[in-house]
Amino acid sequence: MFRGGERDSHATPPIISVPQVSMTPSKDSVKPVHVFRLRGITASVFANIAETKNGDVTFHKVSVQRTYKDGDVFKTTSTFGRDDLPIVRLLTDRAWQFILDTEAKRGRDEDAE
């Protein structure tokens, strides 16, 4: 890829194989399954269902936003200042732990069946 600090123009990027998945919007995917809030910053966890040849698979996505007031109107943004970053990190850590706990619980529920 790089030779002597120069980019090799003939290098090919690695090929990544991704299984084919069909996204199925569900009623539950519109609203978050859990929301974490702190000091005007929100991390929302969404559950999404994908159809695979082995059956439906639920996976999670996280959206992070900061709410601010512009005059009398509340607005949101996905950009963060320096002092927002520790809060973003804390909320995304909590969202990650929530997802892990949810997946572990779902695994225990499937094993019980």
Side-chain angles (χ1 to χ4, degrees):
M1 305 271 181
F2 289 96
R3 273 189 274 162
E6 295 180 19
R7 186 169 178 85
D8 183 0
S9 62
H10 300 291
T12 57
I15 297 174
I16 300 171
S17 175
V18 178
Q20 186 174 359
V21 217
S22 168
M23 293 298 299
T24 304
S26 68
K27 296 178 235 172
D28 299 333
S29 66
V30 176
K31 293 183 179 181
V33 293
H34 199 80
V35 178
F36 298 92
R37 290 184 180 92
L38 184 62
R39 302 179 90 190
I41 299 174
T42 304
S44 303
V45 181
F46 295 87
N48 296 285
I49 299 171
E51 292 179 4
T52 67
K53 62 183 175 184
N54 297 330
D56 290 351
V57 176
T58 301
F59 64 97
H60 296 88
K61 298 280 186 168
V62 177
S63 172
V64 181
Q65 294 183 328
R66 181 172 52 87
T67 303
Y68 66 97
K69 196 167 184 181
D70 185 11
D72 291 336
V73 179
F74 283 97
K75 296 184 178 182
T76 60
T77 183
S78 59
T79 60
F80 304 94
R82 179 198 66 204
D83 295 336
D84 295 331
L85 295 178
I87 298 167
V88 170
R89 180 179 177 195
L90 175 67
L91 294 178
T92 55
D93 283 347
R94 289 180 181 173
W96 179 63
Q97 188 62 52
F98 172 81
I99 293 168
L100 292 178
D101 292 345
T102 301
E103 290 173 350
K105 182 180 182 301
R106 185 174 46 239
R108 286 192 303 269
D109 291 346
E110 289 172 0
D111 290 342
E113 292 176 357

